[in-house]
């Protein structure tokens, strides 16, 4: 379903790598004291990883839309 299979494979590999890092950070965060600086740093890192995964997922989803596909909108919005 991807327009370019190699691009989709690259995105999936990026997500897999980031998911592994996210998993490690979350596991480590569970083993440190609640409210500690270590936990805060690990959670901040996890949030960054989630943002990266979300952005990559969006790119992957965009690759699933056929080239040249358009969705017509109402005439009312033609000036936007």
């Amino acid at each position: 379903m991807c327009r370019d299979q190699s691009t989709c494979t690259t995105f999936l590999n990026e997500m897999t790598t980031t998911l592994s890092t996210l998993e490690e950070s979350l596991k480590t965060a569970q083993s440190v004291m609640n409210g500690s600086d270590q936990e805060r740093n690990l959670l901040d890192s996890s949030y960054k990883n989630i943002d990266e995964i979300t952005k990559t997922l969006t790119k992957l989803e965009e690759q699933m839309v056929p080239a040249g596909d358009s969705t017509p909108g109402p005439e009312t919005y033609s000036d936007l």
Side-chain angles (χ1 to χ4, degrees), residues 6-20 56:
S6 65
T7 302
C8 289
T9 301
T10 301
F11 291 150
L12 288 170
N13 289 338
E14 286 177 21
M15 289 174 62
T16 301
T17 302
T18 307
L19 282 170
S20 298
T56 306

Side-chain angles (χ1 to χ4, degrees), residues 1 8 10 12 35-37 42 52 63-64 71:
M1 290 196 61
C8 289
T10 301
L12 288 170
S36 68
D37 288 339
L42 290 165
E52 289 176 28
Q63 285 292 314
M64 294 178 182
T71 304

Side-chain angles (χ1 to χ4, degrees), residues 8-65:
C8 289
T9 301
T10 301
F11 291 150
L12 288 170
N13 289 338
E14 286 177 21
M15 289 174 62
T16 301
T17 302
T18 307
L19 282 170
S20 298
T21 306
L22 174 61
E23 184 179 13
E24 289 174 25
S25 293
L26 291 174
K27 281 183 181 178
T28 306
Q30 290 176 342
S31 65
V32 296
M33 189 171 168
N34 282 344
S36 68
D37 288 339
Q38 290 171 319
E39 182 189 41
R40 179 78 261 149
N41 291 335
L42 290 165
L43 291 176
D44 286 345
S45 173
S46 298
Y47 293 139
K48 288 177 187 176
N49 288 334
I50 291 169
D51 286 342
E52 289 176 28
I53 291 167
T54 304
K55 289 175 184 175
T56 306
L57 179 60
T58 299
K59 293 177 189 177
L60 181 64
E61 290 173 336
E62 289 171 354
Q63 285 292 314
M64 294 178 182
V65 177

